[in-house]
Each structure stands twice: as structure tokens, then as C-alpha cells.
Amino acid sequence: MFAARASGLVKLLGLCLTAGVLLAAMVFPFVGGLGLASNRAADTVDQTSGDLAKGELPLVTTIQDKDGVPIAYLYDQYRIPLESKDISDTMKLAILAIEDKRFYEHQGVDWQGIARAAAKAGVDGGATQGASTLTQQYVKNYMAFVLGADNEQEAWEKATEATIGRKMREARVALQLEQQMSKDEILTGYLNIVPLGNQTYGVGAAAKAYFGTTADKLTVPQAALLAAIANRPSSLNPGASPEKALERRNIVIDKMRENGAFGADENEAKKKADEYKATGLEIVPDLQILPKGCVGAGDGPIYGFFCSYLLDYLREAGITDKQLQRGGLTIKTTLDQKATKAAKEAAEQQVPKTQPGVSNVMSVVQPGTDKHRVRALVASRDFGNNAELGQVARPVPAEVLPFGPGSVNKVFTAAAALERNVIGIDKPMDVPKVYYSRVYPNGGAPWKVENAGNYGEKMTLTQALAQSPNTGFVILQEKAGLNNVVDMAYRLGMRETLQGSNRSGEPLKSDKSNGPSQGDWTKQNNAGSYTLGPGATSVLELANVAATIVSKGTWCPPTPVEQVIDRYGKPIPLKEKPCEEAVNPDLAASLAQGMSHDTISGGTAADAARAAGWTRPTIGKTGTTEEHKSVAFLGATPQYAGAAMTYADGNNPQVICANPRIQLCPGSRNGVYGGQGAAPTWFNTMKVLHEGLDVAALPPAAARYK
């Protein structure tokens, strides 16, 4: 008995000393040699209380499609911020009953509560309870979950450490906060910040997650449960520890009764309390937690590729991860759900999502002279982390892949030749069956180039773009100059492909230790095969090339974002590259006319166009790599541009065949071509997108480029 009283007296003395120190720290902040340190502490208190008064909590960022429909959410803390009127009185009564029944009587620090706790400790040696006000808890939670959100566990330990220094700072902030905010504002702030388990913070998110309701409609048992688990969600998780959560909830209900929440009539109040305690936890079977990140996007397997590209783009444009995860931004994107679903269906129609070793990707860009909006980024694979299901969690339709587009690169050779007046679209060019190039030697001997089909010895550039003879374009590249062809590809849109990545498609490191870039390597090694497209490529950039051509030669970065708005409704400026004239409008129009025969009779994409019932004026170019490990198609109308690529995406890429279906066929000599797989994906997508649109003509060629 004596030992217990002695222990209690020690606690009493400690609490009294703590109270004295706290009071002295508030009233005499500049005493003696502690003046400078106390002054700095006061500055910290001022800053903290000022931040708390602003109420800038970590919020959920919402990503929307082009029509404003949410498709994904980003957050560190799932929180639905509420105003006081949006929180039921029942919820307020519940939290005050269990945490701070004298909330409306004290000024931030409950000296009476401290004295009462001290007296209890002095009398019976019991635990010291009631010494921390709800205002102080608000400060504590702010320290942990706002200032320390980068490492919540460490921040929480620091915010709750049993030291007089920590307690003094917390009390000073609480006292000052009560001078800046009303009681109702502090209570609302606390109910918006408090952790309530299962990734939820604040009663807005918890009401939705646990009960599928809103905070203004919480019943007494529901509000009591949330009050019960506040700040102790791990040990009182209603899913993992329902018995403990129920016991604590019932304690809250009893406290509410004691505080008069159920009326002044004691018998009636007890009857109500017993009825409330007789109910179960009543949480929903599947917690309604907001889906998080690109994998959890509205239709993650489909939209995840676009979402992933969007985040990379925003980081490059100056938006930080902290802003994305905590800023409560509204990101209005360019994603078109109709285009995305059509492209996904078309990609899977050619290559099933679980096809071993083969993938099919598609990018859709809307042309324009002010902006090139990315409307769809899809793959036959689903976006996700389950490799066993063939899923991939990289933005493969946008990133530089280690596979070539094949003869699609002949577009760049044609454009460079037109610009340098080497040829016109109606002028004949030499197309020998075999050509030995001395400009691009193979070791010490001339480079032997052969065609994949049979052609006449002469054809116009327009015919050559439609039928794709290798020899003719190697000769044309010699005349236009390899460096000019590579530069033209960069100007039209292959920018990351040529200058941001190496030959293997790996992003260049900042010190370029894994370089040179693919463009520089091609020039340095006089790689004449460039026009045949063996190197790494980005399908999104191919689509953007098509958009540049039908946008009067105007290149714009392929953007996935319309606008980023902060939590206050103000637009955030982005660091985006400006549009520029890649080639003059006459050259672009003439090139478009030169590329307009690939989808009609005699063109390499004609069969795919016919099968889709496609008859619109279209620019197009198919491509097939020499080993048939990848094929591509680039095409556009004045309304939409796009590109598709089918490639061997396994650990050991092999030849791809198309009969009876697209699949790997190691050692086969009957590999797939660009008119198969890639071209059908493009036409089946565009058929859906152009439904109801007027048929738009391609611009006429200029006389000087004919």
C-alpha cells in the first residue's frame, strides 16, 4: 500500500512539474540563457500552428478522362475532407465522450484534467489518464501524419515520445492554436486527420470504407466504433480484432450516455445505450477502400498504360511525387475511353493477352497544330503485376521498345529526299532486284540489299511507299544523306527513340555511360540499314509522327494531360515543350499524298483495310523487320493518328508467324508482315473511332514536291 502511494506521489510530482514547465514555457519563453533557443522554438510553434490553422492535409489526387470521369486515384492517405456541417453531431459527441469531455471548457491544455490525473495517481497509484486534450491530439496527429507523412511510423514514435520537450511543444502549439481557430474548427480538423485504419484517415473516408455511408449519416453504433478505433486502428481493427473493437465501441457508448448524449432521463438513456450496444459492428463485408494507383485505375488492366505514361509525363513537366500523392490535385487527361476500349479489343483480337512470347500494342494520338492529344495507349497484355497472367506494369505502348518498326522508317527517307529535292512523289525511282551499296559498306565489301518481293525496276515514290521495296529506299537514302534522314525522323517525332535511348532501347543515363544515343550511333557508324528500321522504337512516337504529317507538318509533344488543378481550383502551369514546325506545310501535305496508297489496291496494308471495310483517305506505312520478330503500322486520317506494333516480347525473341494465328514459330521462313497483326489492329480501332465522323480529305500535294 505504502509503495503504491509512494509511486503515486512520484507521478503526482512529475505531472505537477510537467504542468509547471509547460506553463512557464508559455508565459516566460525568453528566460535566461534559453532565450535564443526558446525564440527558435516559438518560431517553430508559430509555423506549426499556422499550418494547422490552414488545414492543408494530405488529400487524394483524382485522375479524370477527357470527359471528367475519374479513372484513377493517387494517395498516401485516403481522406475525404469535410466541413463541420458534413459531420453528424453523433460523431462529434462520440469522439468528445471518449477523448476529451471538457473540450469546450479548456483552452487547449486541460490543467484541471492534469490535476485530476495526478490526484488519481497520488491516491491509488493508477495510470495517469485525461492529461491530453483533443486539441493536443490534433497537434500530435498533424506532426505524425502531415509533417511526418514520408515516414509515418517514425514520425508517430517521435510525436508520441514520452519527453517533456515533446509535451511542451505540443502544449504550446495547442494553446496557440486555440487563439487562431474556433472549437468547432479544431474538432472538425481532428476528425479530418485522425487515422482510422485500413488506409483511411478522417471520418469521411472511414464512414465510406467501413459502412458505405457518409459522415453526416453515421448512427450511434457506427460513430462510436470510429471513435473507439481513433488513433488505435492497428490494435482495434474491426476486421482483424472484432471482439476488441466491439468492447471498445461499447465503452464509448457508455461514455456518451454518461455525458448526456442520450438525454437527461437516466433510465431512458441507459435503455438506448443498451440497445446500441446490442448491435453488431455492422461493417460492410468488403471494405470500400478507394482504388489506388495505376494498377487500381477504373479499369486498371486497360487504362493502366495511359496512367503510367501520364505520371512519367507529369514528373517531366514539373509535378512532384509529393504533389501527386498528397496534393489533392485534379488531373484532367486526354484519355478517350471509347478509343481505349476499341484499341484494347482490336489488339487482343490479333494477339490474345496471354499469348506466349508475343505482344501487340497500339497508340492513338489526335492531330492538331496546337496540341497532340494522346487518346489511347493499350496492349494486348493487361496492365498489372501478375506476370503469370501475362501482365506488364510498364507503359509499353509509349516507351522505347527494343524492337524495330521495319520499313516504317522509309517514311523518313522519303521526307528527307523530298525536302532536299532528290525526288517528287510522282517521280520514278530505281528499284533493282539486288543492290550493292558502296556508301554503306559491310565490312570491307559492298552491302548487299535485296527486296522481299518482286517489283518493276522503276516506280514512283508514291508506289514505292505503298509497296515498300528495300533497294529503292537504300538508294534514296544514299542520295538524301543518312544524317539528314535521321534528323528528319527526329524532327517528325522520333525524339526519345533517337536521342533519349541507346540502340537497345534503354534510356540514356545522365552521364551517357550507356550511350551513345541510337541517333548518334547510327550516324557515327554510317548504318545504312536505318531506312529498313531494325532499331528500337516507341510506338507512341510513331503515332505522333503520323499526327505531325497530317497536322501541316507541326510537331507537338504527345501529351496525355489537358490541365492540372490544385486543391483550390487553380491551374498549375506545366513545363511542356512547345509545338514547332517540323517540316513546311507543303512538304507535309505532299508526303501525306505520297503515303496515301498503302491502304488501297496494291498497297501492303490493302488487305487489312479491305477486311475492316475501310475506305477513308488515309496515310499509311507498314513495316517488317528482317527476322520477322516485330512488325508495325503507322497511319492517320486528318481526324486521328495511330500506330501499332506486334513484337516478340519474351526472354528469347523468336520469329513470329501469322498462320493460322499470330504466334512464335522459331526457325520458320514464313514470318509475319506489317499488313498482318499491326495493320488490322489499327483499322479495327480506327473504324470505331471514325463512326459518325465526316470523311475528311487529305490536303493536296504541292507542285514542287510532285
Side-chain angles (χ1 to χ4, degrees), residues 396-483:
V396 286
E399 68 182 11
V400 179
L401 299 169
F403 300 94
S407 294
V408 171
N409 277 11
K410 292 170 182 174
V411 171
F412 310 131
T413 303
L418 287 171
E419 185 174 63
R420 302 186 70 79
N421 298 314
V422 171
I423 197 171
I425 61 172
D426 296 333
K427 297 287 178 64
M429 54 188 281
D430 293 329
V431 185
K433 185 175 182 180
V434 179
Y435 180 69
Y436 292 90
S437 174
R438 287 178 166 75
V439 174
Y440 310 120
N442 182 16
W447 176 37
K448 181 181 179 181
V449 183
E450 297 181 88
N451 292 324
N454 296 315
Y455 309 96
E457 292 190 1
K458 296 276 188 182
M459 61 174 63
T460 66
L461 178 58
T462 297
Q463 291 171 326
L465 283 166
Q467 299 179 43
S468 204
N470 293 335
T471 58
F473 280 96
V474 170
I475 294 170
L476 203 59
Q477 182 176 255
E478 289 180 350
K479 294 178 179 178
L482 174 61
N483 287 5

Side-chain angles (χ1 to χ4, degrees), residues 484-531:
N484 295 323
V485 172
V486 174
D487 290 343
M488 176 60 72
Y490 178 88
R491 286 158 54 191
L492 288 175
M494 306 304 293
R495 305 200 171 194
E496 192 66 25
T497 295
L498 290 171
Q499 289 302 324
S501 305
N502 62 21
R503 288 180 64 209
S504 299
E506 299 169 344
L508 282 183
K509 296 179 180 178
S510 57
D511 61 0
K512 297 187 178 181
S513 58
N514 63 334
S517 68
Q518 183 174 194
D520 289 344
W521 183 91
T522 301
K523 292 178 179 180
Q524 293 165 8
N525 289 273
N526 194 29
S529 62
Y530 180 74
T531 193

Side-chain angles (χ1 to χ4, degrees), residues 212-524:
T213 189
T214 52
D216 61 331
K217 297 177 182 177
L218 287 167
T219 65
V220 169
Q222 291 171 342
L225 178 62
L226 297 186
I229 63 178
N231 287 317
R232 298 166 62 184
S234 297
S235 60
L236 296 174
N237 187 319
S241 304
E243 293 180 359
K244 290 183 179 180
L246 185 64
E247 180 182 359
R248 175 72 173 174
R249 185 207 67 176
N250 290 344
I251 292 174
V252 175
I253 292 174
D254 283 335
K255 290 289 185 182
M256 293 176 72
R257 175 184 58 78
E258 292 173 9
N259 291 348
F262 307 144
D265 186 313
E266 291 188 10
N267 290 330
E268 186 64 24
K270 186 177 185 307
K271 180 180 178 182
K272 287 182 179 180
D274 289 342
E275 289 175 355
Y276 293 138
K277 290 191 293 182
T279 64
L281 292 177
E282 298 179 346
I283 59 175
V284 294
D286 296 316
L287 295 186
Q288 297 181 26
I289 305 298
L290 200 66
K292 180 179 179 179
C294 293
V295 173
D299 197 338
I302 300 178
Y303 300 147
F305 297 107
F306 182 97
C307 175
S308 182
Y309 173 66
L310 168 72
L311 299 188
D312 289 342
Y313 188 92
L314 289 173
R315 293 180 186 110
E316 288 290 324
I319 303 297
T320 65
D321 283 335
K322 184 176 181 179
Q323 285 176 292
L324 290 171
Q325 298 294 333
R326 301 175 62 193
L329 309 179
T330 299
I331 302 172
K332 298 178 180 294
T333 77
T334 61
L335 181 136
D336 183 333
Q337 291 200 38
K338 178 180 178 181
T340 301
K341 290 175 180 177
K344 173 65 170 175
E345 183 177 340
E348 283 193 33
Q349 185 177 343
Q350 297 302 312
V351 182
K353 67 177 65 179
T354 56
Q355 181 67 41
V358 185
S359 185
N360 193 21
V361 299
M362 173 88 183
S363 299
V364 178
V365 176
Q366 191 158 23
T369 55
D370 62 333
K371 204 163 190 174
H372 287 179
R373 294 170 171 84
V374 180
R375 295 304 189 192
L377 294 172
V378 305
S380 56
R381 305 286 189 201
D382 282 347
F383 187 88
N385 297 312
N386 192 332
E388 293 182 1
L389 296 179
Q391 295 179 349
V392 59
R394 304 191 325 273
V396 286
E399 68 182 11
V400 179
L401 299 169
F403 300 94
S407 294
V408 171
N409 277 11
K410 292 170 182 174
V411 171
F412 310 131
T413 303
L418 287 171
E419 185 174 63
R420 302 186 70 79
N421 298 314
V422 171
I423 197 171
I425 61 172
D426 296 333
K427 297 287 178 64
M429 54 188 281
D430 293 329
V431 185
K433 185 175 182 180
V434 179
Y435 180 69
Y436 292 90
S437 174
R438 287 178 166 75
V439 174
Y440 310 120
N442 182 16
W447 176 37
K448 181 181 179 181
V449 183
E450 297 181 88
N451 292 324
N454 296 315
Y455 309 96
E457 292 190 1
K458 296 276 188 182
M459 61 174 63
T460 66
L461 178 58
T462 297
Q463 291 171 326
L465 283 166
Q467 299 179 43
S468 204
N470 293 335
T471 58
F473 280 96
V474 170
I475 294 170
L476 203 59
Q477 182 176 255
E478 289 180 350
K479 294 178 179 178
L482 174 61
N483 287 5
N484 295 323
V485 172
V486 174
D487 290 343
M488 176 60 72
Y490 178 88
R491 286 158 54 191
L492 288 175
M494 306 304 293
R495 305 200 171 194
E496 192 66 25
T497 295
L498 290 171
Q499 289 302 324
S501 305
N502 62 21
R503 288 180 64 209
S504 299
E506 299 169 344
L508 282 183
K509 296 179 180 178
S510 57
D511 61 0
K512 297 187 178 181
S513 58
N514 63 334
S517 68
Q518 183 174 194
D520 289 344
W521 183 91
T522 301
K523 292 178 179 180
Q524 293 165 8

